[in-house]
Amino acid sequence: MSTLSTLRHPIIAAPMAGGPSTPALAAAVSAAGGLGFLAAGMIDAGRLAADVAEVRARTDRPFGVNLFLPDPGDVDEAAVRAYAERLAPQAAQRGVTLGDPVGGDDAYPEKLAALLADPVPVVSFVFGLPDRAAVAALRERGTEVWATVTRPEAATAAADLGVDAVVVQGTEAGGHRGGLPDDDDYALLPLLRLTAARCDLPLVAAGGIVDGPALAAALAAGATAAQLGTAFLRCPEAGSSPMHREAVAGTAPTALTRSFTGKRARGVTNDFLRRHDAAAPAGYPQVLHLTRPLLAAARRDGDASVANAWAGQAHTLARDLPAAEVVADVSAGARAALAALTERSTRWG
């Protein structure tokens, strides 16, 4: 029996690295009948093991862990150096030195080894597709493997690897693009339909889903469940900063940009994004390491004009509610929307 088939509500808490995803949030969503997720990106294997243990202490329901795959792409080091020169005066004004724009694998081998040694119900991947050996090893230990795709052909490749489900991420989604390359522009509904035509695995819809009618639309378009991130950013269990919560509650638009990390990600527009987006090179994690001291100083100072605030396009619909209430309300709203659609459809003939 798949994990998705055991859920009382077709709602997944999107893994949000960098703070918002906490063991408390993952456990609350799972306990409420959805599926909570831990974000293993940008932490070490020891912290991951501690987070897994905390979720298990809080709930006996299934949950998942998301891993960042190392980016195999070549980085234009000259372009990264030019970007560093561009940002240096702004960092100096803040009283910090930019970070060293090094590469790295986000401790992926160590974290994968930890999850093989101490299996969890679900492991999902972003920033490309896992290799066949990793998929097989995880599944041998009873772990379901989910791949994240942002274009239809990637779903076919994921199915060929033997994954159990595919997370279909539309361009409306907040945070980083989950596929490679990151220059896709598929909206969620067309991507769902195109993916369903190629792939008969369960599909998890992600991107701009914050309320019940949006969940209903994704289910009607072929998804088995939906992955919500922005909807949980204002929950008390989330690790979102006060500045991030305020940005999500506001009405500013969002945009995709490489200016903060070198990988396209959707966040609330601010002065930093508008000023540097056109000049930002493709280079993850090099740009992430470069900008980290500057962004950390901006968060320390409460400067929303500089610090990033990842959010999806429908962020103004997110509410300040406990996670369990978000799960229940979005699920009930989807049922009501589907019932209303069924009633209206009787008049179409």
Side-chain angles (χ1 to χ4, degrees):
M1 180 180 295
S2 71
T3 299
L4 286 169
S5 68
T6 69
L7 304 181
R8 297 198 307 274
H9 303 291
I11 293 175
I12 318 298
M16 298 176 285
S21 287
T22 64
L25 178 60
V29 172
S30 289
L35 185 69
F37 254 88
L38 290 172
M42 299 188 289
I43 62 174
D44 61 26
R47 166 69 183 279
L48 173 59
D51 286 352
V52 167
E54 184 174 346
V55 174
R56 287 176 173 149
R58 289 173 176 268
T59 182
D60 60 0
R61 296 290 301 161
F63 64 96
V65 171
N66 176 257
L67 291 176
F68 285 4
L69 286 164
D71 192 331
D74 293 330
V75 173
D76 185 340
E77 295 182 3
V80 174
R81 287 195 298 271
Y83 193 54
E85 293 174 3
R86 178 187 181 92
L87 298 182
Q90 192 169 1
Q93 290 175 357
R94 185 74 59 178
V96 298
T97 301
L98 293 172
D100 188 7
V102 295
D105 61 9
D106 195 47
Y108 170 73
E110 293 84 356
K111 285 182 276 194
L112 177 61
L115 293 170
L116 291 173
D118 185 15
V120 298
V122 180
V123 169
S124 69
F125 292 88
V126 290
F127 303 167
L129 299 178
D131 62 47
R132 192 178 302 275
V135 174
L138 286 164
R139 297 188 78 232
E140 285 173 3
R141 288 158 176 79
T143 296
E144 290 182 26
V145 179
W146 296 4
T148 304
V149 304
T150 54
R151 55 188 68 214
E153 57 270 24
T156 304
D160 290 343
L161 291 172
V163 304
D164 298 280
V166 175
V167 179
V168 180
Q169 186 195 44
T171 190
E172 305 95 328
H176 286 104
R177 309 303 299 138
L180 284 180
D182 67 359
D183 57 357
D184 55 87
D185 284 308
Y186 283 99
L188 177 59
L189 288 181
L191 183 59
L192 267 176
R193 299 309 305 141
L194 291 167
T195 303
R198 289 172 172 259
C199 174
D200 58 5
L201 291 173
L203 304 181
V204 176
I209 301 172
V210 178
D211 61 9
L215 172 58
L219 297 176
T224 299
Q227 183 171 276
L228 285 61
T230 302
F232 292 109
L233 282 171
R234 298 182 64 197
C235 294
E237 299 94 339
S240 318
S241 69
M243 187 167 52
H244 196 173
R245 293 170 187 271
E246 184 176 351
V248 171
T251 59
T254 64
L256 286 164
T257 184
R258 291 191 176 97
S259 59
F260 297 105
T261 69
K263 184 181 287 291
R264 285 178 91 210
R266 183 175 295 281
V268 177
T269 57
N270 64 4
D271 291 343
F272 187 94
L273 188 158
R274 288 186 289 266
R275 180 177 175 184
H276 301 300
D277 176 64
Y284 181 93
Q286 286 81 356
V287 175
L288 168 69
H289 294 310
L290 178 74
T291 62
R292 182 170 278 165
L294 173 58
L295 300 179
R299 294 188 192 96
R300 178 200 65 205
D301 298 340
D303 187 352
S305 72
V306 173
N308 59 298
W310 301 141
Q313 285 184 324
H315 67 89
T316 59
L317 298 176
R319 294 176 292 167
D320 183 4
L321 293 173
E325 291 187 32
V326 172
V327 171
D329 287 359
V330 172
S331 183
R335 286 195 300 271
L338 290 170
L341 178 60
T342 300
E343 182 179 351
R344 289 196 300 272
S345 69
T346 61
R347 301 193 294 270
W348 291 349

